[in-house]
Amino acid sequence: MNPSSWISKIRSCLNLFEQDIEIENLEKKWLYVATIMVGFFVIVMGIGALVLNVNPPSHWETIDSASLHLSSEFAEDKLGVQPMALPDGTIQVQLVAARYGFYPREIVVPADQKIQFRMATLDVLHGAHIPMTNMSTMIVPGHVSEVTTVFPKPGEYPLLCNEYCGMGHDHMWSKVTVLSQDEWAALKTGGKQP
Ligand code: CUA
């Protein structure tokens, strides 16, 4: 094939693109609708990210899962509800997830107060889920998971594992007892936590 026939071929291809493209009216309308929808979602996402600060989890804290028993935070005698609240009144709870339970197995916390859970796993990936609250997170080996929640009303809540972690996954749960503020105050002044 000689060069001039190549050039004519390319020309005819270009002509194809130069032809007026007919767009049906109905098609045009839907193009507008789709463009407006995409624009709307981009704006909503922008407001969410920049104004409301809704972002993917960014809490990135690592820990050596194999030596949790030696760590200053997750050693056995440091687990559970911490005796001292944080400066803003938030109650901190340290938990270790391990096949097949969350340790300590039972905790007692107050309702209507911020509870910050800090969790690490001793072995494999686990999930931590408390129904009726915003608490649902993965606990990834080598990382500390942190979730802050408020229990709206007193009662007993299960803390469930929601990531398959082995044969005993179905039985992996612990008990969270939520007291009213009055009961909590009485416990703090007169009693001892179970
Ligand atoms: Cu732990 Cu499933």
Side-chain angles (χ1 to χ4, degrees):
M1 205 183 278
N2 62 45
S4 64
S5 71
W6 269 112
I7 290 168
S8 68
K9 266 210 181 303
I10 291 170
R11 274 212 182 110
S12 64
C13 274
L14 287 174
N15 279 342
L16 267 182
F17 289 109
E18 280 165 11
Q19 278 170 14
D20 274 341
I21 300 168
E22 276 294 320
I23 301 179
E24 292 269 337
N25 255 345
L26 186 63
E27 234 173 347
K28 260 186 205 164
K29 276 183 195 156
W30 280 109
L31 270 178
Y32 288 132
V33 170
T35 310
I36 289 169
M37 278 172 70
V38 169
F40 173 73
F41 289 134
V42 168
I43 290 169
V44 167
M45 265 167 30
I47 291 174
L50 301 173
V51 181
L52 302 177
N53 205 19
V54 178
N55 293 301
S58 56
H59 188 75
W60 190 263
E61 195 181 331
T62 53
I63 194 164
D64 179 12
S65 293
S67 61
L68 284 186
H69 59 297
L70 301 174
S71 80
S72 57
E73 189 178 356
F74 292 98
E76 198 174 350
D77 57 330
K78 309 269 173 38
L79 297 179
V81 180
Q82 300 304 304
M84 293 291 288
L86 299 179
D88 69 344
T90 301
I91 290 174
Q92 213 178 38
V93 182
Q94 263 70 5
L95 290 176
V96 163
R99 292 175 182 156
Y100 292 101
F102 297 90
Y103 303 94
R105 302 302 299 258
E106 290 189 19
I107 57 167
V108 180
V109 291
D112 299 321
Q113 194 166 340
K114 276 194 198 164
I115 314 289
Q116 183 191 72
F117 287 92
R118 284 176 55 79
M119 296 164 290
T121 166
L122 197 64
D123 39 44
V124 297
L125 174 74
H126 297 280
H129 173 55
I130 301 178
M132 324 287 275
T133 69
N134 67 337
M135 168 102 161
S136 183
T137 185
M138 286 200 283
I139 309 173
V140 182
H143 290 86
V144 177
S145 298
E146 190 181 296
V147 179
T148 302
T149 192
V150 174
F151 292 93
K153 53 181 183 187
E156 274 185 10
Y157 294 73
L159 168 57
L160 309 162
C161 178
N162 64 359
E163 294 283 341
Y164 183 74
C165 52
M167 301 290 276
H169 163 74
D170 287 348
H171 304 285
M172 181 164 170
W173 62 280
S174 293
K175 192 170 86 177
V176 182
T177 303
V178 179
L179 302 180
S180 68
Q181 282 288 332
D182 291 345
E183 289 169 326
W184 177 254
L187 182 78
K188 287 310 247 184
T189 48
K192 196 184 171 304
Q193 281 218 11

